Amino acid sequence: MLPDWVEPVARYVVEVGLRNTLKLSAIALAGSALIGITLGTLLTIRFLPTRALIRLYIEIWRGLPILVTIFIVFFALPAVSSALRFDPITAGAIALILWGSAQVAETTRGAVQSIPREQHEAASALGFGWVGRHVFVIMPQALRRLLPPLVGLLVNIIQNTTIVQVIGAPEILETAERQVERLTFEGQEHAVEIYGAVMVTFFLISFPLTRLAAYLEKRLA
Amino acid sequence: MTELLAALGPGFLEDLGSFVADNAGELAAGVRRTLTVSAIAIAGASIIGLTLGAARAYRIPVVSQLAAAYVEVIRNTPILVQIFMLYYALPQVGIRLEAFTVAWLAVTIWGGAFNTENFRAGFEAVPARYREASAALGFRGFATFANVTLPIGGRIALPSSINTYISVVKNTSLMYVISYPEITTTVFQIQALTLETVEAFTVLALTYLIIVWSLSALIRLLESHLALPEDR
């Protein structure tokens, strides 16, 4: 049987922490994919100002550590304007989306450019405009190539949600830390078991996904 | 919006300048610690990646399986949790590490795992005909590795390993959670005292961008310099 301290810890970390981690991951993935795919496709247009702007966006958010982006969104933005004050989970989601969308944009550019010219020409000949051509002809093909890196991104997003712990958002690591501290306060030390369990949880979520990404890469290559 | 413009107006550059001037000593010490930890970790991750990557590529029994387990555990768990494990959990079993030790150790272990994969893929990408040619020239096992597989596979692994090194530099920012005073912790502490939040985090962001962007520029130089003759 499990010792008495386990049950309340596990319940809090799973019900509050795991739920917020999954919620945050889902929002970050959806936002990153949506913005990243749009920016990546726009990056293939030969118009210097948009390309320069999108390039800058990509290089900034890919270049910064996510922790620094989280600090900027959570601490610096509210100092600029009180309208830009976010709760920890929202601030974390925004930071993860800035970083994730930069990753996706770069991959999307490559995937869109890998679709042969003839596909563009054939679509134009059928009367599609730029938007229709990309939405109905190019994207469905590019998405096949995007799928493996998107699964890889999901793994990175899930792991990087832990960084939101620094601003106190109650995801898995934060809830685990609160429980470790509560138990320490009560005179019990269980950091190894609790953080160990957190590692196992992440491994159980990530490992199948990294396998899936590798499998998709082989299948769709 | 007017507040935003006011904050980022012409006076802002001056504010940044005086923020740097007022805190120059601490900022320099922070950057130095970030670079020191990164340098140790890059060196360590290179050694780990080369040896374990070779062990994986050559399928050396036991070592190869242990290396694979190490790689999977590190790659599939968040580095922040690994840092918590090293700094906040190990003391429970009597292992007390200093913040500096955890700082370089955590990123070395992390970078080493990713580098093992980079080098394994690089070594495995060396065409068999090169090794056959080497054997035909009379090179034995290790001589073939040192003279053929390593220089060619190492170059194939170079772009991905340098991306790992860039991530290592960025990940040193996570040492904020153990209060190791590298640049992120340093800037955070300064702004907590001076309340110059916008200036502080702008300077912090620019510092990382300068480091990361110069590192990527260096890579492109190195890559064209080390490119195999057939790719030039």
Side-chain angles (χ1 to χ4, degrees):
Chain A
M1 278 310 285
L2 290 168
D4 285 342
W5 63 267
V6 174
E7 205 269 340
V9 172
R11 182 181 316 164
Y12 182 64
V13 173
V14 169
E15 283 181 3
V16 179
L18 182 62
R19 179 195 296 214
N20 277 322
T21 292
L22 294 180
K23 191 172 100 183
L24 198 54
S25 303
I27 297 171
L29 180 72
S32 301
L34 205 70
I35 298 172
I37 290 174
T38 310
L39 290 180
T41 312
L42 291 175
L43 195 57
T44 61
I45 301 177
R46 306 209 165 281
F47 179 61
L48 200 62
T50 56
R51 274 175 59 186
L53 275 178
I54 298 171
R55 236 322 111 212
L56 190 67
Y57 176 93
I58 294 176
E59 296 303 333
I60 288 177
W61 303 120
R62 274 209 319 185
L64 290 179
I66 297 173
L67 176 63
V68 174
T69 309
I70 290 174
F71 281 165
I72 291 174
V73 175
F74 191 68
F75 294 115
L77 289 188
V80 173
S81 160
S82 50
L84 298 171
R85 191 176 297 281
F86 305 104
D87 64 275
I89 296 230
T90 312
I94 293 172
L96 286 169
I97 288 173
L98 288 171
W99 163 81
S101 61
Q103 306 282 345
V104 176
E106 183 63 26
T107 330
T108 304
R109 184 195 56 78
V112 168
Q113 283 177 343
S114 73
I115 306 298
R117 269 224 75 70
E118 294 78 22
Q119 296 289 329
H120 287 268
E121 292 163 2
S124 301
L126 288 170
F128 282 113
W130 189 90
V131 173
R133 194 163 83 220
H134 280 84
V135 172
F136 296 111
V137 181
I138 306 301
M139 253 308 135
Q141 302 181 66
L143 272 180
R144 270 176 75 88
R145 295 175 205 220
L146 269 182
L147 202 57
L150 278 181
V151 177
L153 177 79
L154 177 60
V155 176
N156 285 331
I157 285 179
I158 292 173
Q159 299 191 3
N160 286 332
T161 54
T162 53
I163 306 177
V164 181
Q165 187 272 339
V166 298
I167 52 172
E171 45 67 62
I172 293 186
L173 184 58
E174 169 71 15
T175 51
E177 193 200 22
R178 288 177 189 174
Q179 294 298 315
V180 168
E181 280 173 1
R182 179 180 61 85
L183 289 172
T184 309
F185 188 70
E186 291 171 6
Q188 304 185 63
E189 271 193 278
H190 295 294
V192 172
E193 298 94 314
I194 294 176
Y195 292 135
V198 170
M199 278 183 89
V200 171
T201 307
F202 276 103
F203 187 86
L204 291 178
I205 300 173
S206 295
F207 188 68
L209 287 172
T210 46
R211 287 287 95 130
L212 178 68
Y215 168 78
L216 287 174
E217 199 153 350
K218 252 185 212 145
R219 267 288 310 271
L220 302 177
Chain B
M1 200 61 211
T2 45
E3 286 170 84
L4 188 79
L5 285 175
L8 301 176
F12 187 62
L13 266 183
E14 273 170 50
D15 293 346
L16 287 188
S18 58
F19 178 85
V20 174
D22 293 345
N23 306 289
E26 281 172 88
L27 292 174
V31 170
R32 203 163 50 235
R33 291 195 194 94
T34 291
L35 295 179
T36 308
V37 169
S38 302
I40 297 174
I42 288 172
S46 303
I47 296 168
I48 296 175
L50 272 175
T51 39
L52 296 187
R56 293 279 291 134
Y58 284 86
R59 298 190 169 72
I60 296 170
V62 187
V63 183
S64 179
Q65 284 79 11
L66 287 177
Y70 157 64
V71 168
E72 294 303 342
V73 168
I74 298 301
R75 288 208 311 176
N76 287 296
T77 56
I79 179 171
L80 195 58
V81 183
Q82 295 161 18
I83 296 168
F84 268 66
M85 203 68 186
L86 286 174
Y87 195 72
Y88 294 113
L90 283 189
Q92 189 192 327
V93 291
I95 304 171
R96 249 166 243 286
L97 301 173
E98 271 177 55
F100 172 68
T101 312
V102 171
W104 66 260
L105 190 60
V107 272
T108 303
I109 294 173
W110 185 89
F114 280 79
N115 238 2
T116 299
E117 264 313 276
N118 297 335
F119 280 105
R120 180 197 59 75
F123 294 150
E124 285 181 353
V126 176
R129 62 196 153 91
Y130 291 181
R131 282 197 300 275
E132 286 160 13
S134 163
L137 287 169
F139 284 118
R140 289 181 188 283
F142 185 75
T144 297
F145 175 75
N147 294 298
V148 179
T149 311
L150 180 60
I152 299 173
R155 281 173 166 131
I156 300 173
L158 193 69
S160 48
S161 67
I162 299 209
N163 278 329
T164 298
Y165 301 146
I166 292 183
S167 298
V168 162
V169 175
K170 286 158 59 181
N171 279 339
T172 58
S173 66
L174 298 175
M175 302 315 157
Y176 165 79
V177 300
I178 58 170
S179 301
Y180 176 71
E182 41 65 68
I183 189 63
T184 301
T185 310
T186 303
V187 169
F188 192 89
Q189 286 167 349
I190 296 174
Q191 65 86 36
L193 284 177
T194 64
L195 301 178
E196 294 168 293
T197 316
V198 180
E199 294 83 354
F201 288 124
T202 308
V203 167
L204 181 63
L206 289 175
T207 309
Y208 277 108
L209 289 180
I210 290 169
I211 298 175
V212 168
W213 286 353
S214 15
L215 215 52
S216 0
L218 191 73
I219 294 159
R220 276 191 282 276
L221 265 175
L222 203 66
E223 253 183 306
S224 59
H225 183 70
L226 289 177
L228 295 171
E230 58 198 85
D231 301 333
R232 253 177 215 157

